Amino acid sequence: MSTVLPFLRNAILVSGLLLLTCSQGQSQDNLPNDFNALIQQKTQLLEQYSKLQESGPPDQAVQVLRQIVNIHRRALSVAEAEGRPEDILSQLRRVFGNDTEYLSDELFARGEYAESAALRKEVETFYQKLLGPQHNAVQAMHWKAVTAEKLSNATNDQQVAYAVATGAEEQARRAMQNGQLDIAARVFTQLIEAQIAVLGEAHPDVAVDLNEYGRVLWMQQKYDEAEKAYQRSLKARESTTGKDLQFATTSFNLGRLYQDTQKPADAEQYYLAAAAIEEPILGSTNESFLQTLNQLATLYEQTGDRQKLADIQQRIAAADPLATITSHLPKGTYAGAALQPARLIDDPALQLLPFEVIEAAGREEMGFNPLDIEAAVVFATLPVVEPPFNFGLLFKLKDGAPAEFPWAAEMETVEFGQQQTYLRKASGGQNTMAFAQFNDGVVLLGTEETIRQSLTRSGDTVVGSILKADRDQGQLTAAANLTLIQPFIQAALADAPPLPPALDALKSTSLSTETVKVWVDVTQGLKLSLILNTTNEETAGQTSEAITNALNFGLQMALQEMESELEGDKPVEVATRAYAQRIVRQYLNKLQPTVAGRSVIVEVEAMEQSFAPISIALLLPAVQAAREAARRTQDLNSLKQIAVGMHIYHDTHGHFPTRASYDSNEKPLLSWRVHLLPFLDQQELYDQFHLDEPWDSPHNIELAAQMPDVYRSQSAADGMKTLFMTLDGKGTLMEGTKGLTFADITDGASNTMMIVQADEENAVVWTQPEDLKFDPESPWNGLGGLRPTGFLAAFADGSCRLVPIETDEETLRRLILRNDGQPVDF
């Protein structure tokens, strides 16, 4: 009892203080110094504020917010004076900063600029003491305070012009997206003029809109005007926030302009400037950084600078070896498998592999250590001439890894194409083996025609895209594009002998399968995953049924074979036969396919660690486990597609989408999910929406029935509803009515949630501008009920993962908030 009472006392104190941090009071002079009294006032104010938000006068609601902020100030001063624990003080400071910032934004939206500016300066000073003067949150608040202060000193006409112009900013971006460049240019011109009249040109907002204006002019091929806009944007950015990521974006855009206008030296200068900023901030594997390097490679290729081209290709290859390798796949590649050997030696699950033997044998037979291979892809490609079967092996060694290729001494040099060469076996013949080395360090071994195809007809392929997308699904990934070889499949089936009736349906299903993916993961035993992507949902069901019938047929054949092999009627012989039959049934049950949209998924843990097969068989129904795994896999794939779409949207517009589009009265119209459609290969569906109408208008509500598969959760029954949502609340990535940028994610993109998969009872019509309400006091609300292990989430850096059910509330809260300044150990 002596230990329980202090625990309860502390728990009550903490909960009271947390309530307090959400509260607000009257003027500080009239506030008590007693926590209980402050909490009581806070409770009353919360009820009052909730009612006023629903139906009360806006002026009264803002007044209550003022009182709440005052209670925060008093609570924080009392807690500091009494020496409260640091974790409590940290919570109080965070919520005081967030709520004061919220009040300042509300006042700004109402045109009460002077009071908003004072509050923003207060928050800036407050954040500066906590985070330091260079923190992103401090810098962002500084410029928000400058904006409010400048507006408070502006004339009424300037304030009106500024409000009208900034209100039309989204119209300009939509016009640019829809190709209405004259409208976009006119609106951006008015916006920039209104901003400069109030803020001056040295302001980050002006820099952002000058960059967008430059893009419009560039698209109109008004290159001189576009160059001036970009240069003004760079000057404004450097004089305010310095050479940050937005500066890099404008530098990249300026490089593109100079490349288009045949000024390669200038283009190179600005590409290199962008890359120098992006790499230390984003990392060498970031997509934006790699895009800049690839643009440099294109520039050097155009100018014929072979040395610089080779150098930049080496740099790209070092950043993402697998992407570099897949760029050399011939266009006719219909199958491939990828492995990253250099990673294997650090994998805890593979420490029993004979790495020493692998290294010694590799050096003896191949002239290098196979574990120095950063990435390798073995592939098959369609014939163009001969031989009928072409295959190859692409790989790249670590930079500086010693290598001697003994086979090269037995080959002759062949000149091919435009100053290209490769080596081939001197003996020749239909299946002649050949060897080539590329400037980016990639090595290719294969049939001679494979070499020739790679030298002349390489590039983006379906197989290569799948291998890159699935690289983290297992140590070995494989893919096949069956649409390329359908004629061969048809010919083989026509000549094939008759099959038993239970297997005959496999013939037709093989023709309706477009791509096949295979993952092998040995992290916890040996797990195999097979995904067949068919032409539509109907054929997916037929394929699943055909596979099920084939497996059942195989089960019966196996059982009959056992009966004949394990004869005898002695107790041990009978028991052995029963055990063997049970194990066979167990594993074949795990192979039962599941359907997710137009995909058929088969997963099996072929060899779990220790006695996992028996323990799992006893504790978990195998079919249910397989189905849940299939649902999770499909949902995770959908989440990844959405995350990629969000990043492409950001690259296109310079910010993430807002939670919804809004009319002139700030009434939400259509969800962000609708506005993401063009970036999910759904432009045709997007064009059918009336963007100036709400989601449930007579026209738009009919389109809700056409929900794309990417928004379809496998655990949600309603075909119009989705579980993929953002988190709606203060401090989240979708806060407010203006799209946020990476600069607003001050806690780091890898520590900030972007999209979550909510519980089924929270499902909404996918076009509806509704998302999951975030309650800081109960961050698990609406999450974690869909599956027993946790919930799926996409983070702002594009990564997607399962958030375990064991995650504590504080960690989850910090992962949801983008700007709380708190470290996360996740």
Side-chain angles (χ1 to χ4, degrees), residues 674-712:
V674 174
H675 296 285
L676 202 64
L677 289 175
F679 308 97
L680 298 171
D681 294 328
Q682 296 287 335
Q683 183 70 50
E684 183 176 350
L685 176 57
Y686 180 76
D687 291 340
Q688 297 179 50
F689 280 89
H690 289 175
L691 300 180
D692 57 349
E693 296 177 5
W695 70 279
D696 54 355
S697 69
H699 174 81
N700 285 342
I701 195 64
E702 292 184 3
L703 298 174
Q706 301 182 38
M707 181 170 71
D709 288 342
V710 70
Y711 291 140
R712 198 180 310 279

Side-chain angles (χ1 to χ4, degrees), residues 512-524:
S512 61
T513 301
E514 295 180 340
T515 61
V516 179
K517 300 192 292 184
V518 177
W519 306 330
V520 180
D521 183 11
V522 295
T523 303
Q524 295 179 339

Side-chain angles (χ1 to χ4, degrees), residues 694-757:
W695 70 279
D696 54 355
S697 69
H699 174 81
N700 285 342
I701 195 64
E702 292 184 3
L703 298 174
Q706 301 182 38
M707 181 170 71
D709 288 342
V710 70
Y711 291 140
R712 198 180 310 279
S713 292
Q714 300 308 306
S715 302
D718 193 320
M720 293 173 57
K721 292 187 175 182
T722 185
L723 301 181
F724 293 120
M725 304 181 185
T726 64
L727 290 147
D728 180 13
K730 181 69 175 175
T732 64
L733 190 57
M734 285 287 194
E735 178 187 359
T737 58
K738 184 177 180 181
L740 302 179
T741 69
F742 279 109
D744 297 309
I745 309 173
T746 56
D747 289 348
S750 62
N751 292 328
T752 304
M753 286 186 189
M754 181 167 60
I755 310 292
V756 298
Q757 188 179 31

Side-chain angles (χ1 to χ4, degrees), residues 775-805:
D775 181 1
E777 303 297 327
S778 301
W780 273 101
N781 281 357
L783 298 169
L786 195 63
R787 49 179 52 90
T789 52
F791 69 94
L792 299 178
F795 287 69
D797 65 348
S799 63
C800 302
R801 42 192 152 153
L802 178 80
V803 178
I805 198 70

Side-chain angles (χ1 to χ4, degrees), residues 641-691:
Q641 293 181 53
I642 297 172
V644 170
M646 294 287 274
H647 275 239
I648 299 174
Y649 186 105
H650 187 287
D651 289 345
T652 303
H653 297 291
H655 59 82
F656 290 107
T658 52
R659 189 174 62 81
S661 55
Y662 300 86
D663 63 13
S664 57
N665 298 318
E666 293 196 354
K667 177 183 177 182
L669 299 175
L670 289 162
S671 168
W672 60 270
R673 289 175 287 266
V674 174
H675 296 285
L676 202 64
L677 289 175
F679 308 97
L680 298 171
D681 294 328
Q682 296 287 335
Q683 183 70 50
E684 183 176 350
L685 176 57
Y686 180 76
D687 291 340
Q688 297 179 50
F689 280 89
H690 289 175
L691 300 180

